[in-house]
Amino acid sequence: MKHDYTKYFKAAVDDVRNEGRYRVFQDIRRIRGDFPKAIWYKDDYSEKEITVWCSNDYLGMGQNECVIEAVKSAVDAAGTGSGGTRNIAGTTHYHVQLEKELADLHAKDKALVFTSGYVANEATLGVMSKILPGLIIFSDEMNHASMISGIQRARCEKQIFKHNDLVDLESKLKAAPADAPKLIAFESVYSMDADIAPIKEICDLADKYGALTYIDEVHAVGMYGKRGGGVCEARGLSDRIDIIQGTLAKAFGMIGGYIAAGEVITDAVRSMASGFIFTTSIPPSTAAGALRSVRILKISNDIRVQHQERANALKQRFREAGFPFIDGDTHIVPLMVGDPVKCKAISDQLIEAFGIYVQPINYPTVPRGTERLRFTPSPFHTDAMMDDLMSALHSIWAEFELKRLDVA
């Protein structure tokens, strides 16, 4: 007799529902040329125009006319899919140009494009132990799931250090065998807590203890530095990082991920990482759009300045209202709720009653008890949009009887 496996799957989902962290995907269609506006399809019979406040298309480059034209031109010239893996017919001239542009962006010898930022992290970190026998990876405890997955795939010794804690990191480096290969894996901008790693100091420790450095800059590339090379460029530290990982799916408005590093390192990853070798490459149109986006943002520092101004404007409004948000140094503005059910209910109320879309962030993305709404204001969120948001939040905060901070 065949087992009834369905009940196990249902029980797993029921557990998630009972904890208040069941994820509902909002059905939206962005409106070309009117970012951050979108159409929300509540069901099969109703639709509503909304303002999106949680997009990772941080600079609206997915709506940029020059980027759109590059994508369309590439489709006209080369068709749709790439037709294969990078090794078998899937390396088009668009991929080659994009990798050269990304290497230049980070002042590295070479770059390597993957199908996503997640795959870039998982494949690259996962192959490190094959390249470096006896490797020990030192990983920040707040690293992204893709980095954690890659480190697990590496099946080597790992040491997890407290978030941005240099004392804890050094103590672990000091305790490791002096002759063991070491790699420190961390992020520049941590997207859920809106903080930035002490990059220079980590590099100093890497030099002191003979470790390689691997940094995830996915929430920073395009947005920081005079050419959009990330926090490392902004702080003049790109040359001190051995492997820089980034994404094409956030500030650059496309899809895909990459690493940039020295020629020997990049070639080793290219030759040995199964997540790169056995995956069909991104479409040529995607590579063309990303190439155009990178080139535009290299010479468009004004949009980065405007982006920071908008983020600071929202933070100032939250401060004045006494809303409990994480007041970090980045463009990300997490509004703390601290309850998964309320967090989801507030998100639902915002979109249904006010046409404002911000997704609830619950466990396991963040620890239990730290549930939040993660706002990502763009250069195109106007003062009027912020006025509407604040009016909605004032109403909802009172309705849910949520606490506010004392305002001096």
Side-chain angles (χ1 to χ4, degrees), residues 190-208:
Y190 288 85
S191 66
M192 290 303 150
D193 289 334
D195 56 345
I196 298 176
I199 302 172
K200 177 185 178 299
E201 292 77 7
I202 290 176
C203 289
D204 290 342
L205 289 177
D207 291 345
K208 183 176 179 179

Side-chain angles (χ1 to χ4, degrees), residues 74-75 77-96 98 113-115 255 276-288:
V75 171
T80 54
S82 68
T85 64
R86 287 294 298 274
N87 185 53
I88 305 174
T91 295
T92 72
H93 190 53
Y94 302 100
H95 295 84
V96 174
L98 175 58
V113 170
F114 296 76
T115 51
I255 185 66
F276 175 81
I277 295 170
F278 299 107
T279 302
T280 299
S281 62
I282 61 173
S285 56
T286 299

